[in-house]
Amino acid sequence: MSSAKGKIARLLGGMLLQSAKVASAEDTGGFRRIVLKTNLPKPRAGTKVQVLLPSDDMRTYSPIASPEGFVLLGWKHAGGPGSRWLSEVQAGAELRFFAPQGSLELSEGPVVVVGDETSVAVAASFEVERQGQVQVVLQAGSVDDVRRAAEAVGLSRVSAIQRGETERLVEAALAAHKAAPEAVFALSGGSELVATIRNALRARGVRNIKTKTYWVPGKTGLD
Ligand SMILES: Cc1cc2nc3c(=O)[nH]c(=O)nc-3n(C[C@H](O)[C@H](O)[C@H](O)COP(=O)(O)OP(=O)(O)OC[C@H]3O[C@@H](n4cnc5c(N)ncnc54)[C@H](O)[C@@H]3O)c2cc1C
């Protein structure tokens, strides 16, 4: 179903929206990696783009700066029009979107990103700006898929934990923090995961935590 915001964006598109050409779109496991060609300034780490879908819905993704413009890495199994678009989009398509806007803003220095499939791209965006300073701990339905997708967007220090093994996820996050005690924790992804990990880390005395919820069960098109 189209959204009012999407319809207005399409009507006023010329004034409001930026556009980019899809240079390539490739599957990697349950993800799709989309390279976008544009002359816009490179998106900063932790920004978001709101994409106007062919269905006139708008969905939010995390741009990763690249030589061509930027890359989106989308999880194809979220379950709505965004996932359908991701699965179908091909090289040559034109993409319309609101220019990148701030979303997850972190102080300078090392980062431990904790999240789920929807957090891989934002972690990669920080790796572009802070090479070697980003550690990633991800909960996933398929740990192999998420590892491969992370590698495809330039991440190397990744722990992937099977969904449901929350205690292991917290331990992996704390181990990453031990390796870089000055790092800020950036928690993103589904609302339940973000709340659970934030509470578990606080209970262990961690204070330097930033959170950004990327989806909420039963709600559509969060941004
Ligand atoms: C700032 C920001 C940055 C984001 N960056 C990325 C990114 O880079 N890559 C990416 O893949 N996603 C990212 N997301 C998340 C993405 O926007 C949502 O997952 C979005 O809801 C997917 O759209 P959809 O149309 O497929 O599903 P919707 O129509 O929005 O939702 C359909 C149903 O599926 C549920 N749902 C939504 N997402 C998930 C999920 N991941 N797993 C399980 N159920 C889900 C909803 O709660 C709803 O019940 C980001 C979100 C925000 C707010």
Side-chain angles (χ1 to χ4, degrees), residues 117-200:
E117 290 89 349
T118 62
S119 312
V120 183
V122 75
S125 76
F126 279 101
E127 178 66 27
V128 169
E129 287 189 5
R130 307 182 188 191
Q131 271 196 356
Q133 296 192 80
V134 179
Q135 298 181 78
V136 195
V137 181
L138 298 167
Q139 170 184 269
S142 165
V143 293
D144 287 343
D145 265 22
V146 87
R147 271 198 205 106
R148 270 198 294 270
E151 212 172 288
V153 288
L155 292 166
S156 53
R157 301 166 80 193
V158 179
S159 301
I161 311 285
Q162 190 63 43
R163 179 163 289 120
E165 297 183 17
T166 308
E167 199 46 46
R168 277 190 63 214
L169 190 75
V170 173
E171 290 308 324
L174 289 167
H177 198 241
K178 209 168 173 188
E182 71 282 28
V184 57
F185 269 108
L187 315 185
S188 66
S191 55
E192 290 166 1
L193 178 73
V194 168
T196 303
I197 303 303
R198 185 193 54 212
N199 293 343

Side-chain angles (χ1 to χ4, degrees), residues 48 53 59-62 73-75 77-84 86 103 116-118 121-122 212-223:
K48 64 179 181 185
L53 304 177
R59 291 294 182 267
T60 309
Y61 296 93
S62 308
L73 183 79
W75 171 240
H77 303 292
S83 306
R84 281 195 289 283
L86 280 171
S103 173
D116 60 19
E117 290 89 349
T118 62
V122 75
K212 189 60 76 174
T213 298
Y214 282 0
W215 61 277
V216 177
K219 285 197 176 173
T220 59
L222 211 67
D223 66 66

